[in-house]
Amino acid sequence: MSKTGKDILIRFQTRWQLLLWLEVFLYAIGGAVFTWFFSFNLLISIFTFGIVFIVAAFLKRPWEIDLQEVSSFIDRKSKKLEYSSGLLLKPTEELSGLAKLQQQKIAKEVEAESKQIQPEHKLGTAAITSVVIISIGFFMFYFGLTENYFSKETAIPEEEIIVFRPTDSTTLKSKAPVLEDQQLTINYPGYTGLSNSTSSKMDIKAVEGSRVTWKLGFEGAVDSVSLESMGRRRPMKNNNGVYTGTSVLENSGFYNFRFTDTAGASYVSDLYAIEVTKDKAPVIILEGLKQFNSFNYDDEKRINFSASITDDFGLANAHIIATVSRGTGESVKFREEKLSFDNAVESGNKSLNLTKNIDLDKMEMEPGDELYFYVEASDLKQPKANITRSETHFAVIKDTIDYGPGVDGGLGVDLMPDYFRSQRQLIIDTEKLISERGKLSKEEFNKTSNDLGFDQKALRLKYGQFMGDEAEGGMETGGETSGDDHDHDEDPLADYTHDHDGDNEHNLIEDDGHDHGKESEEGEDPLADYLHNHSDPESSTLFTDNLKAMLRQALNIMWDAELHLRLYEPEKSMPFQYEALELIQEIKNSARIYVHRIGFDPPPIKEDKRLTGELDEVGNYRKNEELEEKDDFIFMRTSVLRLEKLKESNSNITETDRELFEKAGNELAEKAIAEPGRYLKVLQDLKRLSEEQQIGKEIIIETQKGLLQALPKAKSEPQKRTGFSGKINDLLLKELELNE
């Protein structure tokens, strides 16, 4: 009885300790998440979690809760135990008779009291504290109050000051606000291991997925500040005169700032480039491995190779995907395995040199089996990693038995056509029907089962043709005729089957010029054992006696399988179907003799039309179509012409011109995404032309020159050359150009 009471105290002790450990964990996770909102660094957050966990654990000391303390705690909380729970910790042999009675009584009371008494803990306080700390960190991050205290600032020797220009200088009534402070902070993804950077330079070059934060401080009253990027405008948040904005980089592009003062005047900055570097997928190089490996049965079946895998920011995992193929045709089976390399894959390394020794015997491969394998590697990119796989390599164990083309007794015949393997599909369909019994209605289930029974009948009749049993279809109702009325030239399943070989079945044996319908008077027909003679059921097949017996047994089993399918009992039909399949497979392997089929049978030629040369019904095909080549830079070309007129006439820029220059800038921006720095100056000039009122002639000339350089070169079209030209003239012109 003391043992039972002691177990109760142990369970209470375990529960008490788990609650204290959970309390410690809540404090630690709250501190770690709070630190994450400040640093966005996983290592720093893990370090904070460990520090808080250790401090809280030493304060709570869950490991010091022993059975004596549990007993004292229960005695204090319960009035029924009479401070006697300590008797449960003493061996029964050391107690007197009265103490034993008291021990038994206390054991029963402790079991009831332990369910009502709660261990002493402050789990609720810990949970509330953790939620409050996490919420504070989240709202500080959301409103831009957090600072990257853990980031390493990279000093820029030359600061690039943002220059704002008014969009309409005629409306200026007061002094424009002055930019006092500008700051760009780039927080790289944690998996890259790159240090966060802070700079006053506004051109951005960062890894995909980086978080960018802008901060602008002005001297003077500012009404609003916004950030414009690729046709979208987003307002920046005001925090005590400092305007901040945050964005996650996904694609390259351009952006600029715009602000409005309290008088309503608008100012815009130059364009700045965003160049996003994509995280590259791992690179796999396999050495010492051939594309195809072949082994004999008695060879040492091993494949040795090495793999060199590299990635720009670190690899997460690398393994080998191997697939073993066994069997042929519809009986083929595949088994896929994931193999590890011989040396361990260390996550986070940028370069790995791995080796592997694949033993085909340990993979339980047999003669005739084939192995397909490739190496797959993934990097640390989040949330979706880049995955690379190598080329697929092959290995095969040569089969000890070759069932290639051959002859038996001097005659090549394809005894087993393709439809001799369709029993497997019937089994698959029947198993699917059984698994869907609960999902289908009774009428639909019965109809499907009956359809499968018809398919089983069709298959049985098809097999019966090779036993000379075409007439046996008359034993069933439904329009089939008896054996006497059976038409040998008509296939009863022609509407239900795809008979690719039936039309050519009797042509597999060459015609020797004799009449095989009648017995030759000169002697016994040498092909009599191979002919499809319907008059003699015992000789109306190409099979030997033992194969005929096996096929007859398979046909009888198919009768039973069809019966249960017709009775809507597919479960009872399954054993018969499997048994029929085994017999068919055995017959197939016993009579494996093939001939190559001719792939194309041309249609018969009409002799009355042959070589007549009549083309009355032959018409010519003619189609006229005008194709217009789409110009992707129509606004840029139009802008070049318009700038030429503005340059010559010194006229003012109209509202229509601004719209044209804005559309030209959008066209150029789409082309410049791949190389943002190359076309940055031209885009800045186009933006000034589309927004500012007063533009100097120098800006117009520079913009026109930049557009001409950005436009693709015109394609040369074939044309007739006019004027006289000769080799001597060409040499003379070349010399004149050199000496000019």
Side-chain angles (χ1 to χ4, degrees), residues 159-196:
E159 295 186 354
E160 182 178 298
I161 305 300
I162 301 176
V163 178
F164 287 93
R165 292 182 300 274
T167 57
D168 188 359
S169 59
T170 60
T171 60
L172 295 178
K173 298 180 181 180
S174 60
K175 184 179 179 181
V178 179
L179 181 67
E180 278 189 336
D181 183 33
Q182 63 185 63
Q183 182 177 306
L184 173 68
T185 303
I186 303 176
N187 295 322
Y188 296 98
Y191 72 89
T192 61
L194 300 176
S195 301
N196 300 335

Side-chain angles (χ1 to χ4, degrees), residues 51 89 139 270 333 349 435 461 473 588 603:
I51 294 297
L89 302 177
F139 284 108
D270 289 335
K333 295 181 179 179
N349 288 347
S435 64
L461 291 178
K588 179 189 69 174

Side-chain angles (χ1 to χ4, degrees), residues 91-372:
T92 307
E93 296 79 10
E94 299 178 4
L95 300 177
S96 62
L98 182 60
K100 291 180 180 178
L101 294 175
Q102 182 69 8
Q103 189 185 56
Q104 295 176 3
K105 177 183 176 182
I106 293 301
K108 297 179 181 179
E109 294 292 339
V110 166
E111 185 174 4
E113 290 294 316
S114 63
K115 298 179 181 179
Q116 300 178 0
I117 299 174
Q118 293 295 329
E120 191 174 25
H121 63 85
K122 296 181 180 179
L123 190 60
T125 303
I128 294 174
T129 303
S130 179
V131 171
V132 170
I133 292 175
I134 294 174
S135 300
I136 292 173
F138 173 78
F139 284 108
M140 291 181 69
F141 165 75
Y142 183 80
F143 291 104
L145 302 178
T146 59
E147 295 287 343
N148 296 295
Y149 295 104
F150 301 95
S151 64
K152 297 180 180 179
E153 298 185 358
T154 303
I156 304 297
E158 296 182 0
E159 295 186 354
E160 182 178 298
I161 305 300
I162 301 176
V163 178
F164 287 93
R165 292 182 300 274
T167 57
D168 188 359
S169 59
T170 60
T171 60
L172 295 178
K173 298 180 181 180
S174 60
K175 184 179 179 181
V178 179
L179 181 67
E180 278 189 336
D181 183 33
Q182 63 185 63
Q183 182 177 306
L184 173 68
T185 303
I186 303 176
N187 295 322
Y188 296 98
Y191 72 89
T192 61
L194 300 176
S195 301
N196 300 335
S197 64
T198 301
S199 171
S200 60
K201 187 176 181 181
M202 294 294 108
D203 287 329
I204 301 173
K205 186 175 182 180
V207 182
E208 178 186 13
S210 300
R211 179 179 293 273
V212 181
T213 303
W214 295 271
K215 292 185 180 180
L216 301 180
F218 292 89
E219 180 185 356
V222 176
D223 182 64
S224 64
V225 181
S226 60
L227 188 148
E228 298 176 338
S229 176
M230 307 302 290
R232 294 179 298 175
R233 179 180 297 182
R234 293 187 302 169
M236 301 179 70
K237 298 177 182 178
N238 185 6
N239 181 21
N240 297 328
V242 178
Y243 291 85
T244 60
T246 304
S247 178
V248 177
L249 301 182
E250 296 180 356
N251 299 299
S252 300
F254 303 90
Y255 76 98
N256 65 278
F257 300 100
R258 179 188 294 270
F259 76 87
T260 305
D261 60 13
T262 54
S266 179
Y267 301 83
V268 64
S269 71
D270 289 335
L271 283 177
Y272 298 99
I274 301 176
E275 187 173 350
V276 175
T277 304
K278 298 292 184 180
D279 189 350
K280 297 179 181 179
V283 178
I284 302 175
I285 300 176
L286 302 182
E287 298 177 354
L289 181 62
K290 296 187 295 184
Q291 191 75 25
F292 180 78
N293 294 273
S294 178
F295 301 95
N296 294 320
Y297 178 74
D298 53 351
D299 291 342
E300 183 181 4
K301 296 176 281 295
R302 294 177 180 271
I303 302 176
N304 298 306
F305 66 94
S306 60
S308 176
I309 308 175
T310 57
D311 187 71
D312 46 1
F313 294 115
L315 295 160
N317 193 11
H319 49 262
I320 303 169
I321 303 298
T323 302
V324 178
S325 170
R326 176 171 298 174
T328 58
E330 292 186 5
S331 61
V332 65
K333 295 181 179 179
F334 296 95
R335 184 181 81 249
E336 185 174 286
E337 297 182 16
K338 181 182 291 187
L339 307 179
S340 302
F341 285 94
D342 294 338
N343 43 341
V345 177
E346 298 181 3
S347 178
N349 288 347
K350 295 184 179 181
S351 178
L352 293 175
N353 293 316
L354 307 173
T355 59
K356 181 61 179 177
N357 182 359
I358 301 178
D359 191 343
L360 304 188
D361 291 331
K362 291 184 178 180
M363 297 186 68
E364 300 179 357
M365 291 182 61
E366 300 176 354
D369 292 355
E370 297 178 352
L371 174 67
Y372 310 87

Side-chain angles (χ1 to χ4, degrees), residues 28 91 257 292 392 443 582:
F257 300 100
F292 180 78
T392 302
E443 292 77 9
E582 292 179 2

